[in-house]
Amino acid sequence: MQPRDLSDLSPYVPGRGAEEVARELGMDPADLTKLSSNENPHGPSPDAVEAIQQAAPRVGVYPKASHTDLGEKLADHWDCTPEQVWVTPGADGAIDYLSRAFLDPDDRILAPEPGFSYYRMSARYHHGAVDTYSLSKADDFAQTPDTVLDAYDGERMVYLTTPHNPTGAEFSRDAIRTLAETVADHTLIVVDEAYAEYTDAPSTIDLLDTYDNLAVLRTFSKAYGLAGLRVGYGVVPEAWADAYARVNTPFAASEVGCRAALAALDDEEHLQQTVETARWARSYLRDNLDAPTWESGGNFVLAEVGDASAVADATQRRGVIVRDCSSFGLPECIRVSCGTRETTPDAVDTINEVLAEVVA
């Protein structure tokens, strides 16, 4: 007995964790600054932590009520109907649900390169095929309608990431409108807004009343600091919202996760602190790293350092974990997540020390 042929599937490559690196190097995890996974350095809202504790005695019960409560709260937050909100296990879950709902075998998707590998992985899991559009370092990874349309060939789904990971580039609202109006009637445009809290750009969600070929992805993993609980959601046009019931994994988002997300949505002060810190750190990184960087709308900065693997290895040995972007097809770049006001300057000093030695 063997699984089906999985040779076309590549595993997801996550950023390295502090405990993993500490074990490898014989260090105390507390002595490491992890800036490799775009996590919230402030952690979750204290209100979310309290909600987690209160939910613990109820984990023996399926989370039907909490799913409903979270869907209704998000609908109120975005001024849409609860049926339009697909609560999922992380934004990855929403990607899978859309693949289930839209892809027939051999249907094609169009995804950015470099970009989040799970767009392609999910399509292939569901027996779809993958085409890509290129974001070029030569033009600062610009995301324009032509960037997509030059590669578009009638694919069933097209993924847009704004802000884009790992470059930080953004699609303008006009660009998204142009794409929605230009692609074929059978093409769904999926706008991944996992990092959208960190930018001033408005969400695409309010365009769903105008365009029935858009879906928007969101997550509680980044700005809300709930990465370990895996809660995300998709927002879709009302006309096909009922597909959720047919593709949803039963109770996929946990009771604890849903309750924490509900509490996090109410703690606007914690969200504001998170966003303000990230924007400060983003500017600090760009102003002080001794390497070319790109403007970013996310909670991270992409920097060109020459040999990314060598730099990432050297910085982690000095206690700072950054993301080697070789797995994104950018072997000359590292991605540095935004830390706190206390940790970011020391991390920058460490990276700069390593860069000086590499250049020397």
Side-chain angles (χ1 to χ4, degrees):
M1 177 63 67
Q2 294 290 329
R4 67 183 175 93
D5 183 6
L6 302 176
S7 58
D8 285 341
L9 304 179
S10 299
Y12 176 70
V13 181
R16 303 201 70 196
E19 293 184 0
E20 173 191 3
V21 172
R23 284 196 298 267
E24 179 182 308
L25 300 181
M27 300 173 66
D28 185 339
D31 294 333
L32 292 168
T33 299
K34 183 186 177 188
L35 302 177
S36 57
S37 298
N38 299 342
E39 294 154 340
N40 185 338
H42 296 295
S45 156
D47 293 345
V49 174
E50 182 178 355
I52 291 168
Q53 294 168 339
Q54 292 178 353
R58 299 196 300 272
V59 297
V61 178
Y62 288 113
K64 187 176 189 305
S66 60
H67 263 241
T68 300
D69 292 346
L70 181 56
E72 290 178 348
K73 192 174 190 70
L74 287 167
D76 183 65
H77 182 77
W78 292 112
D79 192 25
C80 63
T81 67
E83 292 75 21
Q84 291 178 258
V85 179
W86 293 10
V87 176
T88 60
D92 311 345
I95 293 169
D96 276 338
Y97 289 6
L98 290 171
S99 294
R100 294 177 193 178
F102 282 88
L103 294 181
D104 284 319
D106 298 324
D107 278 351
R108 308 190 71 82
I109 71 157
L110 185 64
E113 181 66 42
F116 185 37
S117 62
Y118 200 72
Y119 305 144
R120 290 163 285 172
M121 292 169 68
S122 181
R124 289 173 175 140
Y125 293 158
H126 294 89
H127 305 284
V130 177
D131 298 321
T132 61
Y133 60 92
S134 297
L135 303 181
S136 170
K137 187 172 66 174
D139 60 6
D140 294 327
F141 304 106
Q143 298 200 120
T144 68
D146 286 345
T147 304
V148 179
L149 293 173
D150 285 349
Y152 174 69
D153 189 28
E155 287 82 359
R156 178 62 161 148
M157 299 171 67
V158 175
Y159 283 95
L160 314 180
T161 316
T162 185
H164 177 264
N165 176 28
T167 69
E170 298 182 67
F171 275 103
S172 70
R173 191 175 184 80
D174 285 344
I176 294 171
R177 285 181 176 274
T178 297
L179 288 166
E181 293 169 0
T182 304
V183 297
D185 291 344
H186 65 265
T187 297
L188 173 69
I189 294 178
V190 182
V191 184
D192 185 346
E193 295 185 347
Y195 298 95
E197 285 84 4
Y198 299 104
T199 177
D200 289 326
S203 174
T204 309
I205 290 173
D206 67 359
L207 295 181
L208 297 181
D209 289 340
T210 304
Y211 301 101
D212 66 359
N213 61 342
L214 288 177
V216 182
L217 309 179
R218 285 262 174 164
T219 184
F220 286 93
S221 294
K222 306 302 181 184
Y224 289 101
L226 299 179
L229 290 178
R230 315 306 302 128
V231 183
Y233 59 100
V235 187
V236 305
E238 192 169 8
W240 46 273
D242 62 354
Y244 178 56
R246 301 178 185 276
V247 299
N248 182 24
T249 301
F251 311 119
S254 71
E255 173 73 14
V256 175
C258 288
R259 294 300 173 192
L262 284 161
L265 283 169
D266 283 335
D267 193 346
E268 295 182 5
E269 182 178 347
H270 184 76
L271 179 63
Q272 182 178 358
Q273 178 195 29
T274 291
V275 172
E276 288 177 353
T277 299
R279 291 178 178 177
W280 171 85
R282 196 168 63 195
S283 295
Y284 189 94
L285 289 165
R286 296 204 68 210
D287 290 343
N288 292 281
L289 277 174
D290 294 336
T293 61
W294 283 269
E295 185 174 350
S296 173
N299 65 334
F300 54 86
V301 167
L302 186 72
E304 187 171 26
V305 296
D307 186 339
S309 295
V311 170
D313 181 68
T315 59
Q316 77 178 13
R317 292 181 184 280
R318 300 186 188 200
V320 177
I321 309 172
V322 298
R323 181 65 186 265
D324 171 7
C325 287
S326 296
S327 64
F328 287 99
L330 297 170
E332 69 286 359
C333 293
I334 61 170
R335 189 192 65 197
V336 186
S337 302
C338 294
T340 65
R341 294 175 189 267
E342 293 74 31
T343 60
T344 300
D346 288 343
V348 167
D349 288 344
T350 298
I351 297 168
N352 286 342
E353 289 170 6
V354 168
L355 290 175
E357 293 178 2
V358 169
V359 171

